[in-house]
Amino acid sequence: VELGAVFTPAHTWDVDRTLELTGVAGRQSSRYTLELPAEWGAGAAVRVASRWRVGCDGEWRPLSQLKGRTDWEPDMADEWSLALGCERHGAGRRRGGLDNLPLRFGVLLRRWGYRVGGAEIDEARVSLGTGFPLRGGAGRLDCAVGYGWVGDQAENGYRDRVLRLSVSVVGLEKWW
């Protein structure tokens, strides 16, 4: 079993913001102080078979307690997320074919930290991915496809559907 937790204490940001307007003579500057509330997160992963493990993590940010921008404060909401995943690790079996590839499946549920049209925005995502090892164990090429639902047209006038293809390269650099 692997466990993890994160805590960020409440803190204050002093913000100096300058807005340059291209093509129009003018510059706007503003100064304000944001008081951000504390944030919490925790996660766990468990190996359920020799190559399989499942995990989950969650985060909570009480952004409804944000202070310092009176124009933002009425629209701020508590933000949270819950992610669940299942992974099969890759194997190094000779001539194992597709059975050697890692497999990953994940689900994410999230409530955004602000309201649109007076209603909170909810998001849900599912993803499926795999990876291919680079020659000599120097890293891997990962790819995944995901589909997400964001917002509700009837509740807040906002709705989005997202199809995402992700490709990344992970290099296993040696520092010793």
Side-chain angles (χ1 to χ4, degrees), residues 68-137:
R69 287 291 304 254
T70 55
D71 53 330
W72 294 358
E73 289 173 19
D75 293 322
M76 300 306 292
D78 292 345
E79 181 176 278
W80 57 264
S81 67
L82 177 63
L84 305 167
C86 181
E87 178 180 30
R88 179 184 77 180
H89 291 279
R93 214 174 71 216
R94 187 170 173 87
R95 293 188 177 89
L98 297 177
D99 190 44
N100 281 353
L101 292 178
L103 295 176
R104 297 177 197 97
F105 174 75
V107 175
L108 171 75
L109 302 173
R110 172 181 288 151
R111 171 150 300 152
W112 289 13
Y114 55 90
R115 295 178 187 85
V116 172
E120 293 165 332
I121 298 177
D122 292 323
E123 174 182 2
R125 267 192 268 159
V126 295
S127 64
L128 180 64
T130 189
F132 303 93
L134 299 177
R135 186 179 304 269

Side-chain angles (χ1 to χ4, degrees), residues 11-13 15 32-37 62-74 76:
H11 53 284
T12 302
W13 289 353
V15 179
Y32 52 92
T33 299
L34 279 180
E35 296 176 21
L36 295 148
L63 292 175
S64 62
Q65 299 172 18
L66 180 130
K67 301 288 183 228
R69 287 291 304 254
T70 55
D71 53 330
W72 294 358
E73 289 173 19
M76 300 306 292

